[in-house]
Amino acid sequence: MITALMACMVVRAANVVTIEYNGATATVTIPDNLAAYVTCSSGTSSHVKLVQSDNVADGAPGEITYQLSGSSDDGGFEMTGSYKCTVKLVEVTLNNPSGPAINIDDGKRIELNASKDGGASTLSDGANGDWKACVYTKGHFELKGKGTLNIVGNTAHAISSKEYMQVKNLTLNITGAKKDGIHCKQYFWMQSGKITISGAKDDGIQVELDGDTSTGILPDHEDADADIDEDSGNCYLDDGTLSIKDLGKSAIKTDGQVIISGGTQDYDASAVSENNNPATAITVVRSDDTRANDTTGGEVIYDVTGRQLKDIRKGQIVIIKHGSEVRKVILK
């Protein structure tokens, strides 16, 4: 039993490709069991280029982790593949004057994990380029870890994903962007952690549809495989602290809605744009608040489809109309 357990641990440890940056060079170490699945075409250059074989999807060796550490003022990480993976940042500092700091051309789930080991990781790119972001992924993007990640986007967005984006536990500091701080399609979901966005020339967070129409509020948006998720265009703020300031345009801009169920929001509520129209941010109102229950005192309550309500319940998202004032609230 002990032998079997040790063998299992060895296999898991061997599923890590390490990339250590040192100025103009990088040392890429590919374990023997991954040699048939990962190819490095960049040699010892600090502009690391890896290709992950489609055969990884066969179940052997399983998910691969790419661990980045060290420092380079002229380097980056590029990975092409078609199977989910994790990119782990361990106190890495990367500046790429000629492209994205991290570019993942992979349409599957990509986890970017900022390790709490050591200090913070910092990523930046050069100015006046033609790439989409300092950090870009083709697939749905999960930013996790209990460490700190600092990003600045000097050409376009700081972070961009072609699909939806989730943030959990991470402390994320975006200190500048030529366009949006965070840009994604389908939906943006902040589960926990701390996000600070400042100095974005366009929007703090922008969420676009990946289709023609919005599916509305999705209580099961965490189901990443459900087709209904693809067109919501929503921004979900469940917990954590979100601070957005010093912007060129909107704090949050969505093709769907902004749904706040918890956490702390620190941004100008008037700078929220839902469905590309100026809108008041969703506020939190308790279900026992007399303002929310008093339909005889000039306030009328509707659901999100416009149907008038007489009974309300905890957790419900409603629209309250009082004279010419209309506000959207979550009842708690």
Side-chain angles (χ1 to χ4, degrees):
M1 181 180 298
I2 294 177
T3 302
L5 177 59
M6 290 177 64
C8 180
M9 292 174 64
V10 169
V11 169
R12 289 182 180 178
N15 272 22
V16 179
V17 175
T18 61
I19 301 96
E20 185 173 356
Y21 292 90
N22 184 10
T25 65
T27 301
V28 179
T29 304
I30 302 173
D32 291 341
N33 72 309
L34 298 182
Y37 303 98
V38 179
T39 302
C40 176
S41 62
S42 54
T44 60
S45 170
S46 56
H47 291 269
V48 176
K49 295 183 178 181
L50 302 180
V51 176
Q52 180 174 276
S53 170
D54 293 345
N55 294 331
V56 174
D58 295 336
E63 182 172 346
I64 296 172
T65 295
Y66 300 90
Q67 180 173 296
L68 281 56
S69 62
S71 176
S72 175
D73 290 332
D74 188 4
F77 176 77
E78 179 180 328
M79 194 281 286
T80 301
S82 57
Y83 191 64
K84 62 184 181 181
C85 70
T86 294
V87 178
K88 184 176 182 181
L89 308 179
V90 182
E91 198 174 357
V92 62
T93 299
L94 280 182
N95 175 62
N96 188 356
S98 57
I102 293 180
N103 184 67
I104 310 294
D105 187 12
D106 186 329
K108 297 298 183 180
R109 188 272 292 150
I110 305 300
E111 177 180 325
L112 185 68
N113 190 297
S115 173
K116 66 178 180 180
D117 299 332
S121 290
T122 301
L123 306 173
S124 59
D125 61 353
N128 305 316
D130 58 359
W131 48 91
K132 295 180 176 68
C134 177
V135 178
Y136 173 78
T137 64
K138 183 179 179 181
H140 58 271
F141 202 17
E142 298 181 1
L143 292 98
K144 297 183 177 180
K146 296 184 178 180
T148 298
L149 175 58
N150 305 312
I151 301 178
V152 58
N154 292 307
T155 277
H157 312 305
I159 305 175
S160 178
S161 173
K162 195 175 180 180
E163 297 184 13
Y164 66 84
M165 193 180 300
Q166 296 172 241
V167 177
K168 185 176 182 179
N169 294 329
L170 183 69
T171 296
L172 174 63
N173 300 313
I174 295 175
T175 56
K178 189 68 175 292
K179 293 186 177 180
D180 302 330
I182 293 174
H183 187 105
C184 65
K185 292 187 176 182
Q186 299 180 352
Y187 63 82
F188 176 81
W189 182 17
M190 183 172 179
Q191 296 173 274
S192 60
K194 182 177 181 180
I195 301 176
T196 302
I197 302 173
S198 63
K201 301 303 181 183
D202 281 348
D203 305 311
I205 299 174
Q206 182 176 4
V207 187
E208 294 183 339
L209 290 175
D210 193 19
D212 297 326
T213 59
S214 175
T215 53
I217 298 172
L218 303 175
D220 60 345
H221 57 275
E222 66 271 18
D223 183 359
D225 297 321
D227 291 339
I228 195 173
D229 294 345
E230 295 183 359
D231 300 331
S232 71
N234 293 336
C235 176
Y236 298 93
L237 304 177
D238 288 359
D239 204 347
T241 300
L242 174 61
S243 176
I244 307 176
K245 56 186 178 180
D246 188 20
L247 301 167
K249 294 184 179 178
S250 300
I252 301 175
K253 181 179 180 180
T254 71
D255 284 341
Q257 300 179 62
V258 179
I259 298 95
I260 302 173
S261 55
T264 301
Q265 291 77 43
D266 179 17
Y267 51 78
D268 183 359
S270 66
V272 173
S273 176
E274 299 174 309
N275 297 305
N276 296 321
N277 294 313
T280 302
I282 297 176
T283 55
V284 177
V285 177
R286 293 180 57 84
S287 56
D288 59 356
D289 192 326
T290 56
R291 294 175 302 161
N293 288 281
D294 181 14
T295 58
T296 64
E299 291 190 339
V300 184
I301 303 177
Y302 304 87
D303 66 15
V304 292
T305 67
R307 182 169 55 93
Q308 186 173 346
L309 300 175
K310 292 184 178 180
D311 299 315
I312 58 177
R313 65 182 185 277
K314 181 179 178 181
Q316 191 173 14
I317 298 174
V318 300
I319 296 171
I320 299 178
K321 185 175 186 297
H322 182 95
S324 61
E325 179 187 0
V326 177
R327 69 184 191 277
K328 187 184 301 177
V329 303
I330 294 177
L331 302 176
K332 286 196 171 184

